[in-house]
Amino acid sequence: MKPPGGEEGRRMGCLLINTLTRERRLWRTPVLKNGCIQGSDISPHQYHEVIVWLREMSSTFQFSSETFALGVCVLNSLLATVKTQLKYFKCMAITSLILAAKVNEEDEVIASVKDLLEQSRCRFSTAEILRMERVILNKLHWDLYIATPMDFIHIFHGLLKSRHPGLMRAQISLQASLWTRQLQHCMACHQLWQFKGSILALAIITLELERLTPDWFSVFTDLLRKAQMESSELICCKELVEQHLTRLQLGLPTNALYILHSSSMLAFRGRGQRGRGQRGRGQDTDHFYDGLWGLYDEDPSMKAGGPGPQDMSSSCPPLRPSDS
């Protein structure tokens, strides 16, 4: 096997730039308002439970970790875009995972929607899932190629191998699976919503670099420079990740509240309208949350292509605008 060299480093550097560009274009995140996700009645604890369940379903379906990460990103983008209610949340989550599988998995890995529903023991019908698929695809403009934190885990791992081959002796090559598990835990944590996938991935890796090598800071600054990140934002994310993972190891409650000091957030909160537009377009205005129901009024083909509101079963009631 040819050892990694300069050519591999250049290839990974180009891949990082392209993935960062996709992240800036498509990344969206839900925000909390009055103890719930804005535009919904979904609490952080309920979100955590559904993401943990989604990870179990991904494992049951034998999907890759990349598919799980994309499913969560699709779900977050939808929550940042529409009003919804808790009773639709699980249907939205499993449909987001199925759509992610259609993007990432080989055809032979993906069972039929009917079989997937039977394995998950969901009470939704195939027609309800297909109907939700059309809702999600229309709301996200049929663009599901969202850059996920898992993409950045792989890219940063490749950069470490090519630019710092000496770290391989410190067993960095064995850490990718650990980073993956840690990332999956972090993606269920609502306190980490505010950070893009690139920042979350690098924060997880930096924590391990501190433990594995005394020369971690030079490696960290190299990756930080390549990723064109704000150091203050990364440090903030790293502290939250460390607290979250420590809490998991100690078996503490998963709904513990973190309070960020205003001075630590000032650097990246004040980056102006440009950053705000990338972090969550339209999240500050109620009119952006036009709900799921409007799609069925706007597109007659949806009404004809799936069960109408009067046909939906009790397990997934008809989608209606949120009262909020």
Side-chain angles (χ1 to χ4, degrees):
M1 180 177 178
K2 186 178 179 180
E7 183 178 347
E8 178 66 11
R10 286 189 293 272
R11 187 181 74 83
M12 297 306 298
C14 291
L15 182 59
L16 175 61
I17 292 173
N18 293 336
T19 309
L20 286 169
T21 300
R22 270 197 297 141
E23 182 180 59
R24 285 191 293 268
R25 182 170 62 88
L26 295 176
W27 182 79
R28 297 177 183 175
T29 182
V31 295
L32 287 179
K33 185 177 182 180
N34 300 324
C36 290
I37 294 175
Q38 184 174 344
S40 78
D41 57 351
I42 302 168
S43 71
H45 178 69
Q46 291 162 338
Y47 176 90
H48 176 271
E49 287 185 333
V50 167
I51 299 302
V52 170
W53 171 78
L54 204 62
R55 186 176 61 187
E56 294 172 355
M57 292 303 98
S58 182
S59 177
T60 299
F61 302 153
Q62 298 183 340
F63 292 161
S64 65
S65 54
E66 291 80 7
T67 294
F68 166 75
L70 180 58
V72 174
C73 288
V74 169
L75 179 61
N76 285 345
S77 295
L78 187 64
L79 291 173
T81 306
V82 302
K83 285 183 177 180
T84 189
Q85 298 175 29
L86 177 61
K87 56 188 175 182
Y88 312 131
F89 189 32
K90 214 166 187 178
C91 183
M92 294 165 60
I94 194 67
T95 306
S96 297
L97 182 64
I98 292 172
L99 284 171
K102 291 180 178 180
V103 173
N104 280 340
E105 303 290 344
E106 299 292 338
D107 291 340
E108 56 269 21
V109 175
I110 308 174
S112 67
V113 172
K114 180 180 179 180
D115 291 339
L116 291 176
L117 291 175
E118 288 179 354
Q119 292 181 59
S120 67
R121 298 182 180 178
C122 289
R123 294 179 296 168
F124 310 117
S125 69
T126 300
E128 288 165 351
I129 296 298
L130 295 177
R131 182 180 180 219
M132 185 62 76
E133 280 189 355
R134 289 192 291 272
V135 170
I136 294 174
L137 290 170
N138 277 273
K139 280 299 178 184
L140 301 187
H141 308 292
W142 290 73
D143 194 349
L144 302 184
Y145 290 92
I146 304 169
T148 73
M150 189 59 62
D151 294 331
F152 289 104
I153 288 286
H154 293 315
I155 292 171
F156 290 138
H157 183 255
L159 284 171
L160 286 173
K161 289 171 63 178
S162 61
R163 296 177 64 86
H164 305 278
L167 286 177
M168 301 306 292
R169 291 189 292 272
Q171 297 183 332
I172 287 293
S173 60
L174 303 179
Q175 295 302 310
S177 59
L178 171 63
W179 297 339
T180 296
R181 293 193 301 273
Q182 292 176 335
L183 175 62
Q184 290 174 340
H185 286 297
C186 289
M187 292 187 77
C189 175
H190 73 277
Q191 286 97 348
L192 295 170
W193 282 346
Q194 61 191 298
F195 302 106
K196 293 181 179 179
S198 54
I199 296 173
L200 179 57
L202 187 53
I204 291 172
I205 291 174
T206 302
L207 283 172
E208 285 302 301
L209 288 175
E210 289 182 13
R211 185 179 65 84
L212 289 171
T213 174
D215 192 32
W216 70 272
F217 189 75
S218 63
V219 180
F220 159 75
T221 53
D222 181 42
L223 292 177
L224 188 70
R225 184 174 59 253
K226 295 285 289 184
Q228 305 171 9
M229 292 180 189
E230 293 279 349
S231 59
S232 57
E233 190 171 6
L234 179 62
I235 291 170
C236 227
C237 181
K238 185 170 76 72
E239 291 175 353
L240 283 175
V241 168
E242 185 173 22
Q243 292 173 7
H244 178 67
L245 294 178
T246 300
R247 192 176 70 247
L248 287 174
Q249 292 172 356
L250 297 177
L252 297 179
T254 57
N255 59 349
L257 176 65
Y258 293 131
I259 300 176
L260 299 184
H261 194 276
S262 58
S263 62
S264 65
M265 301 294 289
L266 184 61
F268 67 93
R269 278 188 174 173
R271 283 188 291 177
Q273 295 297 323
R274 176 179 60 85
R276 181 182 300 177
Q278 292 171 352
R279 297 170 78 85
R281 288 169 282 182
Q283 292 174 2
D284 295 329
T285 57
D286 288 336
H287 71 270
F288 189 75
Y289 292 88
D290 54 356
L292 297 173
W293 182 253
L295 285 177
Y296 298 96
D297 296 328
E298 296 167 7
D299 188 353
S301 65
M302 286 191 175
K303 296 178 181 179
Q310 68 277 10
D311 301 322
M312 300 293 280
S313 69
S314 59
S315 62
C316 184
L319 305 177
R320 299 192 181 280
S322 171
D323 297 330
S324 57

